[in-house]
Amino acid sequence: FSAANEVRIAFFLEWATPNQEAKVKQTFDKAFGVPVKWTNFATGGEMTEAMLSGDIDISYSQGLTPFVNAVNAKAPIKLVDVAVLYGMGGTTCVIANSTGISKSNASQLEGKKVAVPLGTMAEYVFDESMKVVGADRTKMDVIQMDPEEGAAALVSGDVVMACLFGGNSIKAATEVGSRLLTVQEARDAGILGIDITSVTDKFMKENPGMLRTFIEVTHEANARYKAGKSDLNVIAKDAEMKLADMKETIGGFKFLTPEETKKSMESGNLDGFLKGMGTPSGAVDTSFLPL
């Protein structure tokens, strides 16, 4: 038995988080004592597939929806931390201005083409938003598109609405469209995104110390960010975003303390979501939090 000789971590581009500074400065590598291989993915579902095929150990900021879909399908992965809570600044649905459709006449979306990255938090936001505006999802022509493709399809007029996550994709979409619900309207309707950290059962069993270290270094980076001590330029560059766009994205994110995280996982927001989605018990492990 020996500890892993590298740690393979999944993350998202355009999704700026404080631990990206620790990634760039190799704080993780030093803390693990082995190299870290970071791979970016387009969706949380792809992260799951990479974990199942044995290519990824830890998925950072995986959406809650793809995680739940995976464990409901008996995937051997666990939820060990809350990465980010976010309002709809970071995940939203944008309607082309040329359509004349808005929340007041949103039923006009029925019968039209809309782009949604299925099985992601953007699909959850799509479903919840349709309930708020009174439009029937089953009557729309929903096309599976990752955020980048969805934004391009909205710009080219192939779809009337695109649901997206990621600062760059949302920015591209809002050049020709408007958010169906403002960030505040979504918040008032209780639409909240949660991204989590998941890990394969195998890595968790074989390298518990490394997993604990990953979560610890991440929470230290979050605390540094909260104290105004993060190097935002480093984070923006690693997220492949312009500094101003990155600040806008990260400004809509909330990073919980370890104590707040434990509460969310055991009896708060996260616990409520998981129960509401029919998640099997045993999918969550709070024992790696740095408390």
Side-chain angles (χ1 to χ4, degrees), residues 185-200:
E185 285 167 343
R187 188 178 294 138
D188 292 344
I191 305 176
L192 175 76
I194 301 184
D195 276 9
I196 54 102
T197 299
S198 61
V199 62
T200 62

Side-chain angles (χ1 to χ4, degrees), residues 12 14-15 61 63-65 84-94 116-117 120-129 147 162-171 174 179-184 186-187 191-195 248-249 252-253:
F12 289 122
E14 293 186 43
W15 198 250
S61 217
L64 191 56
T65 304
V84 187
L85 295 185
Y86 51 96
M88 293 304 103
T91 303
T92 191
C93 295
V94 178
V116 182
T120 69
M121 284 308 282
E123 182 181 14
Y124 162 77
V125 167
F126 168 58
D127 285 338
E128 294 300 310
S129 300
C163 297
L164 320 136
F165 51 81
N168 296 351
S169 297
I170 292 173
K171 195 176 183 201
T174 49
R179 291 170 184 263
L180 172 65
L181 296 174
T182 65
V183 175
Q184 188 58 48
R187 188 178 294 138
I191 305 176
L192 175 76
I194 301 184
D195 276 9
E248 194 182 330
T249 296
F253 288 169

Side-chain angles (χ1 to χ4, degrees), residues 1-272:
F1 172 79
S2 64
N5 54 8
E6 68 170 356
V7 181
R8 299 156 311 161
I9 302 173
F11 76 111
F12 289 122
L13 290 174
E14 293 186 43
W15 198 250
T17 54
N19 68 357
Q20 283 179 268
E21 184 178 357
K23 165 182 183 263
V24 174
K25 294 182 174 171
Q26 299 199 322
T27 312
F28 285 107
D29 309 59
K30 287 170 200 146
F32 292 139
V34 299
V36 183
K37 185 181 173 208
W38 294 82
T39 307
N40 69 73
F41 288 84
T43 68
E46 288 174 18
M47 287 180 175
T48 298
E49 283 164 27
M51 292 167 90
L52 295 180
S53 68
D55 294 330
I56 289 291
D57 303 311
I58 298 170
S59 288
Y60 178 71
S61 217
Q62 182 178 37
L64 191 56
T65 304
F67 171 79
V68 171
N69 291 345
V71 291
N72 281 345
K74 310 260 191 294
I77 63 177
K78 293 276 184 293
L79 191 166
V80 288
D81 192 15
V82 173
V84 187
L85 295 185
Y86 51 96
M88 293 304 103
T91 303
T92 191
C93 295
V94 178
I95 298 192
N97 294 329
S98 57
T99 61
I101 301 174
S102 67
K103 68 170 198 266
S104 56
N105 61 353
S107 59
Q108 288 185 23
L109 288 166
E110 293 164 17
K112 300 197 172 61
K113 286 184 182 170
V114 299
V116 182
L118 300 172
T120 69
M121 284 308 282
E123 182 181 14
Y124 162 77
V125 167
F126 168 58
D127 285 338
E128 294 300 310
S129 300
M130 292 311 103
K131 290 178 201 164
V132 173
V133 299
D136 184 348
R137 166 190 176 147
T138 62
K139 294 181 178 158
M140 297 172 208
D141 185 4
V142 178
I143 303 166
Q144 153 59 32
M145 285 188 181
D146 289 345
E148 213 172 311
E149 301 170 289
L154 192 74
V155 170
S156 66
D158 292 340
V159 298
V160 298
M161 180 173 78
C163 297
L164 320 136
F165 51 81
N168 296 351
S169 297
I170 292 173
K171 195 176 183 201
T174 49
E175 274 166 25
V176 298
S178 308
R179 291 170 184 263
L180 172 65
L181 296 174
T182 65
V183 175
Q184 188 58 48
E185 285 167 343
R187 188 178 294 138
D188 292 344
I191 305 176
L192 175 76
I194 301 184
D195 276 9
I196 54 102
T197 299
S198 61
V199 62
T200 62
D201 288 357
K202 181 179 190 299
F203 188 85
M204 183 168 115
K205 236 192 323 274
E206 292 175 3
N207 305 281
M210 284 186 178
L211 177 58
R212 189 168 281 110
T213 296
F214 174 78
I215 295 172
E216 208 164 285
V217 172
T218 294
H219 277 278
E220 281 165 10
N222 292 346
R224 248 196 329 276
Y225 170 74
K226 218 171 249 176
K229 292 179 181 158
S230 292
D231 187 333
L232 299 181
N233 286 297
V234 169
I235 296 171
K237 189 170 181 229
D238 194 64
E240 295 188 8
M241 298 174 78
K242 292 191 180 114
L243 183 61
D245 297 341
M246 189 285 288
K247 281 181 172 167
E248 194 182 330
T249 296
I250 203 169
F253 288 169
K254 185 171 184 213
F255 303 100
L256 302 179
T257 63
E259 291 71 25
E260 289 168 337
T261 302
K262 186 174 164 72
K263 182 169 185 260
S264 177
M265 286 165 76
E266 290 179 347
S267 60
N269 284 349
L270 179 66
D271 183 56

